[in-house]
Amino acid sequence: MRKMAAVLERSFIEICGFERETLHRVREVTVNLGVSALPGGVKFADSAGAFHYEDSGKLLSVTSNRFIHWSTSGDTVQLVEQSLDTNLLNNAVKLKFTHCTVLLGGVTIQETLNNVIILVSTNQSVHRLLLPHPSRMYRSELVTELHMQSIFTDVGKLSLQDPSHSAIIPSSVGQTGSPSTSTAWLSQSGEAHYALGSPAGGIMVVTLAPHDTQGGVSVLELKRSSMMQRLSGWMPTAIRGEQSPADLVLSLAVRELEEDSFIFALCQDHKLRMWSFREQACLLEADMLDYMPACKGVKRLAGQGHRLRLAFSSTTGLCLSVYLAVPQRGQFTVLQLVATDNNRYSLDHISSLFTTQETLVDFTLTSTDIWGVWVDDSNTTVVKYINFEHNTAGQWNQVFVQPPPEEEVHIGVDQDPRETYLDVLFSPLRFTASAIVKALQIYRRGSERISDLSWETLKKEVTVAVESELQSSVTEFEFSQEEYRQLQVEFWSKFYACCLQYQEAVSMPLGLTVSQHTNMVCLLKKGFVSFLLPCFAVDHLYLSYDEYLFSEEETPITEDPEVGRDVLQLVQCLRLVSDAVSGEMAYEMEKALEHLQSPERAAELVLENMLSNDSDNVIEDIQNKLQDVRNPMAAMMVLLREMDLETDSEVGGEGPVAPGATLNVRISLSQLYGSSSAVSVVCQAVCNLAMTRALFCRDLLILQKLYLRFGDNVFLGGGAQLLQLQQDLIPRSSHLLSSYHLLKHISQSLASSVPIDILDANLQHLTVLELSDTPTLSSSRSVVLSPQTVVELFYQTAARKIIISQLFCQRQTNSLLLWTHMVSNVVHLLAQLLWPSNPGFQFPECLMANCQYTQLQEYVRLIGPWCQVNIGSCRFMLGQCYLANGEGQKALQCFQEAATEVEKEEFLMRLTGSEEEEAASTPRLQYYNKVLRLLEDVGLSELVIQLASLAITEAVSDINSQAALWTRIFKHHLDLGHNSEAYEALTQNPDSSMQLDCLRQLVVVLCERSQLQDLVQFSYVNLHDEVVSIIESRARGLDLLAHNYYELLYAFHINRHNYRKAGTVMFEFGMRLGREVRTRLGLQKQVNCYLAALNCLRLIRPEYAWIVQPASGAVYERPGASPKRNSDGEFSSEPVKRQVDILELKDLEKEYILSRSRLTLAQHHPPSAAIADLPEEERLMSSSSSSVRSTTTLAGLGVSSICPARPTLAAAAEVLGLASRRLSNTVHCSAFK
């Protein structure tokens, strides 16, 4: 596999962690100490800051990747606790201090072993919030939940007005105004100290006693003339002496060193003063203008925007950075505090750094760097950083901030304005929900408050609002289509402009924070927090501002200085190409990629447009620059190699995370970067990377086409290089452009919400395919984002586990989680997992598992023409989509196309190689079996038949597979009512036992459907005896009146002219009726059976007119019958002996006469029908010299002249008389009168 991550540059790129909720769930807590608003109170600018837990860089800590950020505005402080590993519940609180204004630097957060303490300073009060430390909030060390409680969960239970939590700042006699700036700290003894810049100059320190003691409040004033501590309560007397507004404090900072607290104050007179809190003395005073060259005239100006920051590290000690704000420029001075003998201190100058930005918003000092955020004249955010010790000519490093959304939306002639604007507004990358909600409220003229809406509902509300406004403005009744389109554009652009305005407001930067534990850099904005990620070298080259790009002399993507110089020259040419591509042509290029047109052809069209509209001679400038590139082929190959994310092997694996690690480590890894914030940041970083590189590849392709047009004019090597360009580099650029366009598309494609019943059905299908429990598809932890892109869905459910497993397979789990290193690897590995040319197929699997069929179809469509990896797997996935959408024939076609790749692709091999799969001779047959089971599960019998028929051609030498496939075909033909086809499939089955099973099923099903005609007419070649056996078995085993298997068997034999067997069947039927159905209906059926049996025997030659009759008491043994037991319950020691009698025609006639007589008797006396056949009656009939022949009776039964009629009434009377005598015990004689 290639290197894990691409080369990183020194620059950073901003990734916005937009919120996904329409309304933040922020609890408000009001603190009212009963003070009145000060007259003419000073308004301070909004500010922001952050606190990072000390163990935030440790994997096994409950505070890993966890921090608190806050913002202040007027009388409120909003605090939010955030984690990149778990979602924190109740994590936001807004504190409102009645009639007070929060000071600059008025929020400080510190942690102790058991608590997190928040210190807040306002212009009239000081406050202390004591909250539980996260490590003390959970009883167990193992925290497995995805959601955890924030430290702010119980903040509402605190009594913030109590003296232990709050105090009013006493006002000095004669003092006017209020403090302007502040800082606070917690002493080792637990006291809370608040240093406030006094309006009369100097510093006032207010101290709250430790929270668990009853001590009061003390106030200390530190001034240049004298130091005096007032412990007499709230009213210290004024301290007279040398006072001057020159020592008005502009910025404060504090640091505890060697059991003392040093307060640093940067004052209006440009001087830095250091006070010892313990000694109450000013230990150091330094004029900052001494470090500023050409400061003439500055001394006369009072400082206004000066800032002070501290940084401490074990290697450098305590460093200070002072920002001096002077007109037209600013300067950062970095100083190191040095202790000398006798408790004296001095400052060593380390560096002076200059910046030309107008308005500094905030800056942060680390042990090595200064990070700053500015706002320029056009209100654009500028972020830069610099190493204050090792920098090249004082050049700052770039941070590429996210540009605001486009001011105008390009709408193609074939696009609907409403849909286009909605796509832009509700893209996950452009607008925050709060900006859209505020714009909607204004657009509705504040008619109603927006409730807590989902993203989709908000989208509908916006649509209704704009369309209603449009409709209400219309006065005409008829419009042309073009006029209506113009109206739509007008009203939607108006709403869009409103959203732009509010998006700009929430994007206003307030502060900057850098974690000294993880090096994570965050930009704190008015409406959200954005994260700064290291920029990959190739992206750095494309994004760099011109002044940086032209001054660079080397690039980290190549070690060869000559190639590096050519790369830089080539990128400068690409910059010219990018500037020359008009918005309209960029749209056309995008559209061509969307419609799967050739990227090369699209690039040629863009180039033609550039050449025909080259009014500024851009092409000539490009040509001149190209001539300075000595080896363009090598430079292009370096760039293409750096952008290609293809790997030789699959990224990650299916194994466990950190095998062999302790349970604690495994749980921590299972949560790492799993919160909604981390999901959003990582996936938006991938989207940003894809968008940047898609533009890079587009411009490179256009430039390559321009090279071909210039030919030998710019190529030193001539034709060979042109041939390489045309046959190798241009196709590679085209392929990369298509790949990054795909990544960009899926990164912005929203996932669909899926009903639970569809998810259950899909899980059933995956179970059939034996894919439901694979690691790629199992959603062990998922966070709720709304809306959610499909890449975010993939990262949550599958990719994050694979990536973390890859990162920690060789990494020590006790090493620090450095943000810059970790997030770059996570982003790079996620991009590799999504890269279509890599062997891994986890992303489409994830889409299939989560029922994202529309998105999956679009994915397969976009990679179809150019991606040659996982072709079969993609066809299989497309088949799944068609199947889910009810397009069975299309699905079958895709499944068939996928079969050719079964032995080549990992996903299809895994699909066919499961342990439970029945043994098949070839992988392709195993694949067909899986698909057949899937089609059966969906209930598509016709498609099962088609695919099984195809599979049979693959199973020529595999008898077992053939038999199973023919059985399947038979079953589904039978299910569909294709009786002839089912019979045909049955006859083709090479396995006799399966054939017999099918035959049995055919008989049963056709009988149940009463399709007896088909059943009787089939030829049953070589199966005749089996059919008879099956029907006989069914006839003898089931209820006589409920089923008609005897009649079926009779018809079966008659149809084949086998009259003796037909007669045997009907005689057996009659005998059983006599024994088992003792009703008049049973007698009627018995008479008919005997009559039919007589008919059959009359139709054959006399010498063959006989049948075999099991004797009375014989047992019909059926296959599978249970062993018989005797009266003692023991098994019979001897098998049951079968006795048989031969019955001729005359014997059947006797039986018929008897049953006919009994029927006549039952017709006159119904209870007599319940008496079974009697042996004496049989003997009587047997000994009778002449049988009863009643022509009338036979005629009534529908049979005429079986034999010459010899009516013998005496014989009939004799039979009836005998029957009468036998029934005399139960029947009254009057019944026979």
Side-chain angles (χ1 to χ4, degrees):
M1 201 171 110
R2 281 183 58 207
K3 52 189 178 296
M4 180 174 289
V7 182
L8 295 175
E9 247 299 348
R10 296 181 302 275
S11 59
F12 281 72
I13 188 163
E14 179 193 8
I15 302 298
C16 299
F18 284 177
E19 88 281 5
R20 300 298 178 86
E21 297 172 339
T22 52
L23 290 176
H24 280 305
R25 290 171 176 81
V26 181
R27 287 169 301 152
E28 293 194 10
V29 177
T30 300
V31 183
N32 189 348
L33 298 184
V35 297
S36 302
L38 292 177
V42 181
K43 262 196 98 172
F44 300 111
D46 294 353
S47 63
F51 162 77
H52 300 267
Y53 289 96
E54 187 175 348
D55 290 341
S56 58
K58 296 179 181 177
L59 175 68
L60 299 181
S61 170
V62 75
T63 57
S64 70
N65 292 311
R66 190 161 165 174
F67 63 102
I68 301 170
H69 60 89
W70 67 82
S71 61
T72 69
S73 179
D75 62 351
T76 60
V77 176
Q78 180 164 312
L79 297 135
V80 179
E81 188 180 21
Q82 203 161 336
S83 169
L84 297 177
D85 296 349
T86 55
N87 289 330
L88 300 176
L89 302 174
N90 306 306
N91 67 322
V93 63
K94 183 180 288 186
L95 304 175
K96 184 178 178 69
F97 302 97
T98 307
H99 297 149
C100 297
T101 303
V102 181
L103 299 176
L104 293 174
V107 181
T108 302
I109 301 180
Q110 289 183 237
E111 65 179 315
T112 63
L113 204 58
N114 298 316
N115 298 104
V116 173
I117 296 100
I118 301 174
L119 307 176
V120 181
S121 310
T122 75
N123 62 342
Q124 298 195 72
S125 58
V126 292
H127 306 268
R128 170 174 58 195
L129 278 74
L130 196 72
L131 301 171
H133 196 279
S135 61
R136 295 290 181 265
M137 292 179 66
Y138 307 100
R139 295 179 182 176
S140 169
E141 288 187 1
L142 301 178
V143 181
T144 58
E145 298 87 357
L146 172 63
H147 298 281
M148 296 168 62
Q149 292 293 339
S150 164
I151 63 168
F152 297 125
T153 297
D154 296 327
V155 74
K157 298 178 182 178
L158 297 177
S159 299
L160 297 181
Q161 282 88 350
D162 288 357
S164 60
H165 288 110
S166 302
I168 299 172
I169 300 172
S171 57
S172 300
V173 175
Q175 178 178 310
T176 59
S178 62
S180 56
T181 184
S182 68
T183 188
W185 74 101
L186 201 69
S187 69
Q188 294 179 355
S189 59
E191 293 174 320
H193 303 290
Y194 304 83
L196 312 171
S198 174
I203 302 169
M204 177 191 296
V205 181
V206 179
T207 300
L208 293 182
H211 66 90
D212 51 359
T213 66
Q214 295 297 318
V217 177
S218 61
V219 179
L220 170 72
E221 292 192 48
L222 304 175
K223 293 188 68 65
R224 290 192 307 172
S225 56
S226 62
M227 282 19 103
M228 186 175 185
Q229 185 176 22
R230 296 286 180 175
L231 301 174
S232 57
W234 288 96
M235 296 294 293
T237 57
I239 301 176
R240 298 292 179 182
E242 184 189 344
Q243 293 188 23
S244 166
D247 68 345
L248 182 69
V249 178
L250 300 177
S251 186
L252 282 168
V254 67
R255 177 73 195 183
E256 282 196 288
L257 288 173
E258 301 172 1
E259 299 182 355
D260 194 1
S261 299
F262 295 106
I263 304 171
F264 297 86
L266 183 59
C267 301
Q268 196 166 244
D269 58 1
H270 318 295
K271 291 183 179 178
L272 175 69
R273 297 176 174 88
M274 184 180 86
W275 300 82
S276 165
F277 181 65
R278 185 179 63 185
E279 302 293 336
Q280 302 172 32
C282 182
L283 303 182
L284 179 69
E285 183 175 297
D287 191 344
M288 291 297 102
L289 295 183
D290 293 345
Y291 302 103
M292 176 176 275
C295 60
K296 200 176 215 181
V298 176
K299 281 184 183 290
R300 297 193 300 271
L301 299 173
Q304 293 298 326
H306 297 346
R307 308 282 180 90
L308 171 65
R309 298 288 183 269
L310 303 182
F312 181 83
S313 73
S314 56
T315 54
T316 59
L318 184 64
C319 289
L320 303 84
S321 179
V322 173
Y323 174 74
L324 296 179
V326 296
Q328 305 303 319
R329 62 175 176 159
Q331 174 182 315
F332 292 92
T333 304
V334 183
L335 306 164
Q336 185 178 18
L337 184 67
V338 179
T340 58
D341 296 335
N342 302 323
N343 201 25
R344 293 183 179 275
Y345 295 87
S346 64
L347 296 173
D348 279 359
H349 178 259
I350 295 178
S351 179
S352 290
L353 306 162
F354 302 94
T355 172
T356 57
Q357 299 300 328
E358 289 294 332
T359 308
L360 178 73
V361 176
D362 189 23
F363 81 97
T364 298
L365 178 69
T366 72
S367 58
T368 56
D369 301 315
I370 293 175
W371 288 80
V373 54
W374 294 261
V375 175
D376 65 13
D377 294 337
S378 61
N379 227 20
T380 302
T381 301
V382 177
V383 183
K384 295 185 292 188
Y385 79 100
I386 191 169
N387 184 300
F388 54 75
E389 284 192 285
H390 310 289
N391 58 77
T392 307
Q395 187 176 43
W396 292 72
N397 293 304
Q398 301 171 95
V399 174
F400 307 112
V401 297
Q402 285 299 315
E406 305 84 358
E407 291 190 7
E408 293 184 4
V409 176
H410 185 278
I411 303 171
V413 292
D414 57 341
Q415 287 182 305
D416 176 50
R418 178 175 65 186
E419 292 302 319
T420 307
Y421 272 103
L422 284 173
D423 286 344
V424 173
L425 285 169
F426 289 89
S427 159
L429 297 172
R430 290 185 175 92
F431 290 91
T432 60
S434 58
I436 298 174
V437 167
K438 286 178 181 175
L440 182 58
Q441 284 176 327
I442 293 298
Y443 203 78
R444 286 175 168 179
R445 298 174 181 85
S447 57
E448 57 184 283
R449 182 170 175 81
I450 307 295
S451 58
D452 192 2
L453 305 175
S454 69
W455 196 254
E456 279 303 313
T457 312
L458 181 61
K459 194 173 183 179
K460 291 174 185 173
E461 291 287 329
V462 168
T463 307
V464 169
V466 177
E467 292 295 322
S468 299
E469 187 81 6
L470 189 155
Q471 298 294 339
S472 64
S473 70
V474 170
T475 55
E476 302 285 336
F477 288 103
E478 292 188 6
F479 282 104
S480 68
Q481 192 170 353
E482 186 56 37
E483 287 173 329
Y484 183 71
R485 178 185 168 87
Q486 287 301 322
L487 269 178
Q488 278 189 306
V489 172
E490 178 187 337
F491 280 88
W492 277 103
S493 62
K494 180 181 172 184
F495 180 79
Y496 182 78
C498 203
C499 290
L500 279 177
Q501 183 181 346
Y502 282 105
Q503 184 62 34
E504 183 180 351
V506 298
S507 301
M508 187 60 62
L510 299 181
L512 188 74
T513 175
V514 182
S515 168
Q516 61 178 347
H517 312 293
T518 64
N519 295 339
M520 180 175 72
V521 188
C522 294
L523 197 55
L524 307 171
K525 299 193 173 185
K526 195 171 182 66
F528 56 92
V529 175
S530 60
F531 296 78
L532 303 188
L533 277 63
C535 196
F536 296 113
V538 68
D539 304 331
H540 164 86
L541 289 174
Y542 188 77
L543 294 172
S544 282
Y545 305 117
D546 290 343
E547 63 268 23
Y548 287 89
L549 188 62
F550 294 135
S551 65
E552 290 201 18
E553 296 178 353
E554 59 181 16
T555 174
I557 62 175
T558 176
E559 295 177 358
D560 188 331
E562 289 296 320
V563 175
R565 194 189 68 84
D566 284 348
V567 165
L568 292 171
Q569 290 287 331
L570 200 64
V571 172
Q572 291 174 24
C573 295
L574 289 174
R575 179 65 51 79
L576 293 173
V577 170
S578 177
D579 294 340
V581 175
S582 66
E584 184 179 347
M585 292 314 297
Y587 170 76
E588 290 298 326
M589 187 89 177
E590 188 86 7
K591 188 173 157 187
L593 290 169
E594 199 67 32
H595 294 167
L596 305 182
Q597 297 168 9
S598 166
E600 298 175 34
R601 177 62 187 146
E604 287 174 6
L605 293 175
V606 173
L607 181 58
E608 293 291 341
N609 181 272
M610 288 170 57
L611 291 168
S612 60
N613 296 290
D614 186 22
S615 56
D616 298 329
N617 296 322
V618 174
I619 302 299
E620 185 179 339
D621 293 343
I622 295 173
Q623 184 174 1
N624 293 335
K625 274 198 171 295
L626 288 178
Q627 289 174 341
D628 295 334
V629 183
R630 299 178 185 177
N631 190 346
M633 297 298 102
M636 288 183 195
M637 288 175 70
V638 165
L639 290 173
L640 292 173
R641 183 199 68 205
E642 198 60 36
M643 285 191 288
D644 194 349
L645 298 177
E646 188 171 336
T647 61
D648 300 329
S649 61
E650 193 172 345
V651 177
E654 305 292 354
V657 177
T662 64
L663 178 62
N664 208 347
V665 169
R666 293 203 304 274
I667 289 176
S668 297
L669 289 177
S670 73
Q671 297 171 333
L672 187 62
Y673 302 131
S675 74
S676 56
S677 300
V679 171
S680 178
V681 168
V682 168
C683 297
Q684 285 187 35
V686 169
C687 182
N688 199 282
L689 175 142
M691 290 193 294
T692 302
R693 295 189 183 180
L695 293 175
F696 198 130
C697 295
R698 180 201 70 185
D699 297 341
L700 182 58
L701 192 56
I702 295 170
L703 187 66
Q704 289 169 335
K705 290 291 181 180
L706 191 59
Y707 255 118
L708 287 181
R709 188 174 289 266
F710 288 150
D712 295 335
N713 293 333
V714 295
F715 271 109
L716 303 176
Q721 285 194 329
L722 286 173
L723 188 65
Q724 182 190 5
L725 180 66
Q726 192 160 14
Q727 294 185 347
D728 178 27
L729 298 185
I730 287 180
R732 283 175 64 186
S733 299
S734 174
H735 189 275
L736 284 178
L737 175 57
S738 297
S739 298
Y740 279 114
H741 175 76
L742 174 73
L743 256 64
K744 182 175 72 169
H745 172 83
I746 60 178
S747 297
Q748 298 181 35
S749 178
L750 295 178
S752 308
S753 57
V754 184
I756 192 69
D757 56 332
I758 293 180
L759 284 171
D760 290 342
N762 184 57
L763 183 61
Q764 173 64 29
H765 299 164
L766 295 175
T767 306
V768 168
L769 294 172
E770 297 173 29
L771 291 175
S772 58
D773 57 350
T774 56
T776 307
L777 301 180
S778 60
S779 175
S780 56
R781 305 170 74 242
S782 84
V783 295
V784 179
L785 288 175
S786 177
Q788 184 180 43
T789 66
V790 289
V791 171
E792 288 169 342
L793 177 67
F794 172 57
Y795 176 77
Q796 292 169 236
T797 54
R800 192 187 59 81
K801 180 182 176 183
I802 297 170
I803 290 167
I804 298 300
S805 176
Q806 177 86 357
L807 287 177
F808 283 87
C809 59
Q810 297 175 336
R811 179 186 171 93
Q812 294 295 321
T813 54
N814 58 359
S815 56
L816 280 178
L817 300 172
L818 294 177
W819 169 255
T820 49
H821 171 74
M822 292 291 292
V823 77
S824 301
N825 283 328
V826 169
V827 169
H828 187 75
L829 287 171
L830 178 58
Q832 283 187 331
L833 285 171
L834 295 168
W835 195 248
S837 300
N838 281 336
F841 198 63
Q842 294 95 339
F843 178 65
E845 281 187 79
C846 173
L847 293 184
M848 179 185 72
N850 290 281
C851 305
Q852 302 298 314
Y853 300 120
T854 305
Q855 294 84 345
L856 183 52
Q857 277 181 273
E858 182 65 8
Y859 175 85
V860 174
R861 182 188 76 83
L862 285 174
I863 69 171
W866 50 269
C867 183
Q868 300 304 310
V869 179
N870 289 318
I871 297 174
S873 301
C874 283
R875 299 314 293 172
F876 180 84
M877 290 297 178
L878 190 58
Q880 281 278 74
C881 294
Y882 285 138
L883 208 56
N885 294 332
E887 300 178 89
Q889 284 296 340
K890 288 183 180 179
L892 182 63
Q893 180 66 30
C894 291
F895 291 145
Q896 291 175 1
E897 292 168 358
T900 58
E901 308 295 322
V902 163
E903 298 177 64
K904 305 173 187 175
E905 298 176 11
E906 190 274 336
F907 170 74
L908 293 177
M909 287 192 286
R910 182 155 48 85
L911 184 71
T912 58
S914 57
E915 296 176 3
E916 290 83 3
E917 184 60 55
E918 58 264 29
S921 59
T922 65
R924 192 175 293 191
L925 279 176
Q926 293 174 351
Y927 167 77
Y928 282 138
N929 283 335
K930 275 284 178 67
V931 177
L932 286 168
R933 285 164 58 185
L934 177 63
L935 294 174
E936 285 174 335
D937 190 63
V938 179
L940 298 174
S941 295
E942 290 185 356
L943 302 187
V944 173
I945 293 166
Q946 291 181 45
L947 188 61
S949 302
L950 174 67
I952 285 172
T953 62
E954 297 280 339
V956 178
S957 58
D958 188 344
I959 300 299
N960 291 336
S961 295
Q962 277 193 21
L965 290 167
W966 279 118
T967 301
R968 264 199 170 102
I969 293 173
F970 160 81
K971 175 185 177 300
H972 289 282
H973 271 311
L974 191 59
D975 289 345
L976 291 169
H978 303 162
N979 300 340
S980 300
E981 291 84 350
Y983 171 73
E984 186 64 31
L986 180 154
T987 60
Q988 297 289 333
N989 201 316
D991 186 295
S992 57
S993 64
M994 286 189 176
Q995 192 178 49
L996 194 58
D997 291 339
C998 293
L999 185 61
R1000 189 175 291 110
Q1001 192 175 357
L1002 179 72
V1003 171
V1004 171
V1005 170
L1006 292 188
C1007 285
E1008 289 175 351
R1009 294 177 184 166
S1010 301
Q1011 295 175 327
L1012 305 180
Q1013 185 74 21
D1014 288 351
L1015 188 58
V1016 169
Q1017 288 183 344
F1018 291 140
S1019 58
Y1020 300 111
V1021 178
N1022 299 326
L1023 294 171
H1024 183 275
D1025 293 341
E1026 285 80 358
V1027 175
V1028 171
S1029 173
I1030 291 168
I1031 300 175
E1032 280 182 351
S1033 175
R1034 301 288 295 180
R1036 292 168 179 168
L1038 298 174
D1039 183 27
L1040 290 174
L1041 295 182
H1043 301 273
N1044 58 353
Y1045 284 101
Y1046 278 108
E1047 286 97 330
L1048 171 63
L1049 197 54
Y1050 170 76
F1052 183 85
H1053 289 310
I1054 291 292
N1055 193 55
R1056 285 157 178 74
H1057 308 295
N1058 195 338
Y1059 299 119
R1060 183 162 63 182
K1061 284 194 174 181
T1064 303
V1065 167
M1066 293 314 287
F1067 183 73
E1068 181 180 320
F1069 188 20
M1071 285 183 65
R1072 286 192 60 197
L1073 284 168
R1075 280 197 210 90
E1076 300 174 23
V1077 187
R1078 301 174 187 177
T1079 64
R1080 182 175 167 182
L1081 177 62
L1083 285 171
Q1084 182 67 59
K1085 277 183 168 284
Q1086 187 182 45
V1087 168
N1088 291 343
C1089 290
Y1090 287 159
L1091 196 55
L1094 284 170
N1095 264 335
C1096 290
L1097 291 187
R1098 288 290 179 188
L1099 292 173
I1100 58 179
R1101 292 165 59 183
E1103 59 268 31
Y1104 298 112
W1106 53 267
I1107 60 174
V1108 175
Q1109 176 215 9
S1112 178
V1115 179
Y1116 294 100
E1117 294 183 5
R1118 295 188 302 279
S1122 60
K1124 301 298 179 258
R1125 301 173 185 264
N1126 58 25
S1127 57
D1128 297 325
E1130 301 295 331
F1131 289 111
S1132 302
S1133 56
E1134 297 181 6
V1136 179
K1137 295 181 179 179
R1138 295 178 62 88
Q1139 303 173 8
V1140 294
D1141 290 332
I1142 301 299
L1143 298 181
E1144 297 181 346
L1145 189 60
K1146 60 183 180 179
D1147 300 317
L1148 264 68
E1149 289 173 348
K1150 294 174 186 177
E1151 292 292 341
Y1152 166 70
I1153 293 299
L1154 177 59
S1155 63
R1156 183 70 188 87
S1157 301
R1158 294 183 67 238
L1159 176 61
T1160 304
L1161 179 62
Q1163 287 170 346
H1164 289 84
H1165 186 260
S1168 66
I1171 297 179
D1173 292 343
L1174 302 173
E1176 289 159 282
E1177 291 175 345
E1178 292 178 12
R1179 284 195 299 274
L1180 173 64
M1181 294 301 293
S1182 298
S1183 61
S1184 177
S1185 60
S1186 59
S1187 300
V1188 177
R1189 296 291 184 267
S1190 175
T1191 304
T1192 306
T1193 303
L1194 295 179
L1197 292 172
V1199 182
S1200 60
S1201 300
I1202 294 178
C1203 58
R1206 294 182 302 186
T1208 311
L1209 295 176
E1214 188 178 23
V1215 172
L1216 291 173
L1218 175 60
S1220 176
R1221 289 192 299 274
R1222 292 296 305 271
L1223 291 169
S1224 62
N1225 294 330
T1226 57
V1227 183
H1228 295 293
C1229 291
S1230 60
F1232 299 97
K1233 291 180 182 179

